[in-house]
Amino acid sequence: MECHLVLNNIGITIYLPPVTRPQFISSSYTPISAQTLAKFCVFTQYNTIIIVIIMKFSCFLITFLLFLSSLPLLPATDVGATITFTTLGRSSYAFDIYALPAAGPPQETRLTDGSSVNFNGHFPSSASLSNLLPLRRPDPKTHLIYVTERNGSSKIYLDVLYDTPNALSGGSRSILEVPTESTRSQVVLVGDEQSNGQISMKDRPSLVGQSLIYISTHEDPGKPRASWTAVYSTELTTGSTRRLTPKGIADFSPAVSPSGVWTAVASYGEKGWSGDVEELGTDIYAFLTRDGSSRVKLIEHGGWPSWADDSTLYFHRRCDDGWWSVFKASFDVEGGIIDVDSVVSERVTPPGLHAFTPAASNANKSFIAIATRRAGSEYRHIELYDVVSNKFHDLTRPVSPNAHHLNPFISPDSNWIGYHKCRGGTNNGNGNDLILENVRSPLASISLFRVDGSFPSYAPDGERVAYVQFPGVYVMNSDGSGIREVSKLYAFATSWDWKRKGVVYTSAGPDFASESTKVDIVSINVDDEDLSYKTLTTGGANNAFPSPSPDGKWVVFRSGRSGHKNLYIMDALNGETGGLYRLTEGPWSDTMCNWSPDGEWIVFASDRENPGAGSFELFKIHPNGTGFQKVVQSGLGGRTNHPWFSHDGKYIVFTSDYAGVSAEPISNPHHYQPYGEIFVVKSDGSGIKRLTHNSYEDGTPTWRPKYTRPANVEWPYGGSKCSFEDCHWLNISPNQASKRQCAHKL
């Protein structure tokens, strides 16, 4: 960070070092916001006394920050630990926000800077930004508020874009062709400081006057399988933040009415999340934006509200005929109170295509912008729908037909339609393709990394990591270098032998297999020039998830050989032929096992409390079959999976839906979160701690017995990868859809 001072026409630039807050500082400590710092950093020689005071304050601040930066805030490289995990589809996103004119030539403009993942934008009105804009330039042409994931955490940014000599004409306003750093000012509106330093996910920002309305997940509801998402309002000039969602309630997808008086959300209300993984069973509520009061339920069964005016909003739902459609709700507002008895809903978009995430405009009520998936299409596109003539107008398909476009939003004058999509290559040097991505950790002694692969595991010395692609097993150094394929098998799960250097165990065969599917445990010598491997199991009855004992003599694994998935232990060197015994037995699934470093325990996931229902809890057992006990229960019908002991055996990391869901699944690909987030718990089951905050599916975590400095690692070949599957449950054809339609009035 740098601060520019001007004194007697002499420019002084002061560089402030990055600071990590030490643990001994109270959690109520709030870092100086970008807005406050800007007020100290930009001034002229209006009053010498004021300048001297500010300079003295600056010197004190700088001295204090330098003192903090000299403290040992982070552990040394040989202290602490690292947790590495995978996120379904996330490494292929590389989203930026783009815009197209609602009318005229389809000239697409990239608005965000090509750094990390940028999504869910909002065009604020200029009046709301009068006290927030950087002072260095007048007359900004475009303002954009959006969610971004960079520097390991989720933030909300304001980008102010200025005109250039080759700007496109857009009536009274113009949007830049490709903004550069010389034509862009960036301000962090909301980071972790608004939640007293707590890590959180942010989403769906809107600006009302000087208040930013948004989603955050920083407050623990205090019970398993309850969603953490709530709507907050932050006064940007003061940093004051208040919760608008009632305690014990989770709200999603907030939208603020044109007047700013009302905010609508998708919410379960008091009933809570019940495990939905495709369409959330939410209703639409509205409340006063100023304080969250006067909360009323407007619509049963609906999501993603968007206001056309203070008595009209659009929303989406999946209909009985199988198609997602956009609906319109109209109601009366009398004396500042919404008359819920007056609400009338009607289906707007016809069956035969999916239509969702609507965006309405107060400036032009004749159309709405929607994301669509048409029958037979593999891609999601943005279309305009004329609600008067009931006609569609393609917006993004003529520009980029073979790309997904998500979550439209409309400029205040209705001239521009924004959305996010994969950016492809950029010319600004920002890497799009990461093999290791740092994720900000709430624990100072543990660093978090997302790996572009599945089922990672570290060698006992922590210097190498194995992981799988589909197909193939790969090994690389812990810093992301030296990537090489060690097997072409279609494999899943990896683990390293504790004693025999370079031996990696995996299972070869299709994933999500039945008990009788042929899947076998194999060991691969990754240091052998020929990369030799040995099949250790016989019969192939879904043998998977191998984990060796610390003495190197045995391997525990799950097998479906009895007709049910239970745990078995076999000889590590010779497999079943060298010795085999059964560890667990029952008409359920015991799976995803991991052996503790001291050899005393085996932790595993099981659905034994509700066999076949998809609900998994964590249990542990001694290798001799004694000491069986439960470690973690997500909640009724919940999922806790992929447990892995820390290198000292004191903790277990796992993935779970313990924190519910954080966003509507339809709003982005792979947001259905069957597992959810990464957690850590003491090995006795106490002290559960949430580590990740996002709306993706995080899974297959593992430990590295060393602390890894937070830094992103790009794939060595460079380039840009942005290819992913849209929500697979949108693949519907007319032959699959019934002829039933949603009721027009509810």
Side-chain angles (χ1 to χ4, degrees):
M1 181 181 297
E2 58 183 70
C3 184
H4 300 279
L5 309 181
V6 178
L7 181 60
N8 296 329
N9 297 319
I10 300 175
I12 304 173
T13 300
I14 300 175
Y15 296 91
L16 304 183
V19 175
T20 302
R21 188 179 66 213
Q23 288 182 310
F24 60 77
I25 291 183
S26 167
S27 61
S28 64
Y29 166 77
T30 302
I32 296 176
S33 68
Q35 295 80 15
T36 303
L37 190 58
K39 293 176 182 178
F40 288 112
C41 291
V42 183
F43 42 85
T44 55
Q45 55 273 37
Y46 293 123
N47 189 303
T48 303
I49 296 176
I50 294 176
I51 293 174
V52 170
I53 292 173
I54 293 176
M55 289 190 69
K56 287 185 177 180
F57 173 80
S58 299
C59 292
F60 168 78
L61 175 64
I62 293 164
T63 302
F64 179 66
L65 291 177
L66 288 171
F67 165 73
L68 290 181
S69 67
S70 68
L71 295 175
L73 304 180
L74 294 175
T77 55
D78 58 349
V79 178
T82 300
I83 291 174
T84 301
F85 61 95
T86 187
T87 302
L88 182 61
R90 167 62 176 77
S91 61
S92 297
Y93 283 3
F95 289 151
D96 264 329
I97 295 178
Y98 293 75
L100 278 168
Q107 295 176 287
E108 187 177 60
T109 301
R110 180 166 65 87
L111 299 180
T112 46
D113 60 4
S115 179
S116 190
V117 173
N118 308 299
F119 58 98
N120 285 353
H122 164 70
F123 287 126
S125 65
S126 299
S128 298
L129 295 167
S130 57
N131 293 330
L132 300 176
L133 296 180
L135 304 179
R136 46 177 236 172
R137 291 190 184 180
D139 192 26
K141 297 300 183 182
T142 307
H143 318 99
L144 177 67
I145 292 174
Y146 59 99
V147 182
T148 186
E149 296 177 0
R150 58 186 75 190
N151 301 321
S153 65
S154 172
K155 298 179 175 67
I156 296 176
Y157 270 32
L158 163 66
D159 278 20
V160 184
L161 309 180
Y162 298 93
D163 208 348
T164 59
N166 57 349
L168 301 175
S169 175
S172 60
R173 291 280 177 186
S174 62
I175 286 187
L176 310 177
E177 284 184 348
V178 180
T180 64
E181 294 309 310
S182 63
T183 59
R184 178 194 308 275
S185 290
Q186 274 184 345
V187 177
V188 181
L189 296 183
V190 168
D192 294 329
E193 66 274 10
Q194 273 70 23
S195 53
N196 290 328
Q198 296 295 311
I199 307 297
S200 66
M201 185 199 87
K202 288 85 174 177
D203 203 7
R204 295 301 309 279
S206 296
L207 191 63
V208 180
Q210 301 298 299
S211 295
L212 189 74
I213 312 300
Y214 59 98
I215 284 287
S216 179
T217 59
H218 65 267
E219 289 190 88
D220 184 349
K223 59 181 180 179
R225 221 176 184 222
S227 299
W228 293 34
T229 56
V231 178
Y232 295 84
S233 173
T234 293
E235 174 64 36
L236 295 177
T237 56
T238 65
S240 174
T241 298
R242 69 183 303 168
R243 180 181 174 125
L244 301 182
T245 300
K247 294 288 187 179
I249 303 294
D251 286 340
F252 309 89
S253 310
V256 180
S257 67
S259 69
V261 172
W262 297 99
T263 294
V265 294
S267 179
Y268 289 104
E270 296 181 355
K271 62 185 179 182
W273 180 57
S274 61
D276 327 26
V277 296
E278 292 184 359
E279 179 192 11
L280 298 190
T282 56
D283 304 322
I284 294 179
Y285 290 75
F287 51 79
L288 289 175
T289 306
R290 68 172 181 263
D291 58 9
S293 64
S294 301
R295 184 182 176 105
V296 294
K297 182 164 73 172
L298 294 179
I299 308 291
E300 289 191 359
H301 184 199
W304 203 269
S306 179
W307 299 83
D309 54 50
D310 277 32
S311 60
T312 307
L313 59 78
Y314 291 86
F315 62 95
H316 65 212
R317 69 159 63 110
R318 183 159 52 178
C319 298
D320 291 339
D321 56 19
W323 300 103
W324 282 80
S325 292
V326 171
F327 284 71
K328 176 183 177 181
S330 303
F331 43 87
D332 297 330
V333 181
E334 299 178 358
I337 302 296
I338 295 177
D339 181 3
V340 295
D341 294 329
S342 67
V343 178
V344 176
S345 300
E346 59 179 325
R347 188 176 187 174
V348 174
T349 59
L353 80 161
H354 292 304
F356 37 79
T357 58
S361 169
N362 181 250
N364 189 338
K365 299 179 184 179
S366 66
F367 73 87
I368 56 175
I370 53 177
T372 65
R373 271 285 297 277
R374 291 187 172 271
S377 172
E378 297 181 1
Y379 296 102
R380 187 185 299 205
H381 282 286
I382 307 302
E383 301 187 44
L384 301 182
Y385 184 71
D386 191 315
V387 296
V388 178
S389 65
N390 299 323
K391 293 182 179 179
F392 289 93
H393 170 65
D394 270 339
L395 200 65
T396 61
R397 190 175 286 105
V399 177
S400 48
N402 298 322
H404 292 293
H405 305 75
L406 303 104
N407 303 355
F409 57 101
I410 303 177
S411 63
D413 59 9
S414 78
N415 288 336
W416 293 91
I417 313 298
Y419 50 88
H420 61 269
K421 71 167 189 175
C422 284
R423 60 177 162 262
T426 62
N427 297 321
N428 55 11
N430 291 316
N432 296 344
D433 204 354
L434 304 176
I435 179 62
L436 289 171
E437 180 182 19
N438 170 240
V439 177
R440 185 170 175 189
S441 173
L443 303 177
S445 61
I446 295 178
S447 58
L448 293 177
F449 283 86
R450 178 183 287 126
V451 65
D452 188 11
S454 296
F455 300 103
S457 67
Y458 284 90
D461 63 3
E463 296 306 311
R464 290 188 290 179
V465 57
Y467 63 95
V468 301
Q469 296 285 1
F470 296 110
V473 180
Y474 293 79
V475 170
M476 65 180 175
N477 297 324
S478 60
D479 63 1
S481 65
I483 301 171
R484 61 192 181 100
E485 185 181 50
V486 298
S487 172
K488 295 185 180 298
L489 295 172
Y490 194 96
F492 60 104
T494 66
S495 60
W496 293 73
D497 192 284
W498 291 79
K499 298 297 185 181
R500 292 185 293 156
K501 184 177 180 181
V503 173
V504 175
Y505 299 91
T506 188
S507 46
D511 54 4
F512 298 106
S514 68
E515 284 77 2
S516 61
T517 304
K518 183 173 176 56
V519 182
D520 276 308
I521 306 296
V522 301
S523 63
I524 306 170
N525 189 336
V526 301
D527 292 336
D528 182 22
E529 185 176 346
D530 296 328
L531 296 173
S532 60
Y533 72 91
K534 177 187 289 187
T535 301
L536 302 178
T537 52
T538 61
N542 203 338
N543 305 295
F545 296 104
S547 179
S549 61
D551 61 11
K553 296 179 179 180
W554 304 98
V555 172
V556 64
F557 64 102
R558 78 104 194 270
S559 178
R561 64 190 62 204
S562 70
H564 301 286
K565 297 175 182 176
N566 294 147
L567 301 185
Y568 295 78
I569 294 178
M570 66 178 172
D571 184 89
L573 183 60
N574 298 310
E576 290 189 37
T577 61
L580 174 74
Y581 68 91
R582 187 169 186 168
L583 181 60
T584 64
E585 183 174 357
W588 49 66
S589 291
D590 297 332
T591 185
M592 304 175 189
C593 41
N594 182 253
W595 213 309
S596 68
D598 62 6
E600 290 296 313
W601 292 101
I602 293 170
V603 65
F604 61 98
S606 177
D607 70 349
R608 60 179 57 210
E609 294 189 345
N610 194 5
S615 176
F616 283 81
E617 318 299 344
L618 295 190
F619 301 87
K620 66 179 183 179
I621 191 172
H622 290 308
N624 64 4
T626 65
F628 175 80
Q629 58 185 272
K630 181 184 288 186
V631 179
V632 174
Q633 178 167 342
S634 170
L636 183 64
R639 300 175 178 89
T640 55
N641 293 80
H642 300 293
W644 200 285
F645 278 103
S646 62
H647 58 287
D648 58 8
K650 295 181 179 179
Y651 296 91
I652 297 170
V653 66
F654 61 97
T655 181
S656 180
D657 61 2
Y658 190 92
V661 294
S662 299
E664 288 194 65
I666 192 87
S667 65
N668 250 357
H670 298 311
H671 271 216
Y672 59 95
Q673 293 182 290
Y675 298 152
E677 307 288 350
I678 305 299
F679 293 81
V680 67
V681 68
K682 292 181 181 178
S683 57
D684 64 2
S686 65
I688 188 171
K689 177 74 174 179
R690 181 177 181 176
L691 298 185
T692 63
H693 288 257
N694 56 60
S695 57
Y696 314 127
E697 181 191 351
D698 295 332
T700 66
T702 190
W703 294 82
R704 182 191 181 212
K706 296 181 180 180
Y707 184 87
T708 305
R709 295 285 183 183
N712 293 336
V713 179
E714 294 186 27
W715 274 98
Y717 55 73
S720 172
K721 179 180 68 176
C722 197
S723 175
F724 55 86
E725 178 194 20
D726 198 5
C727 302
H728 65 275
W729 32 273
L730 291 176
N731 297 330
I732 187 173
S733 68
N735 293 331
Q736 295 172 302
S738 70
K739 294 183 179 180
R740 290 179 297 156
Q741 297 184 8
C742 292
H744 279 246
K745 293 186 178 181
L746 304 175

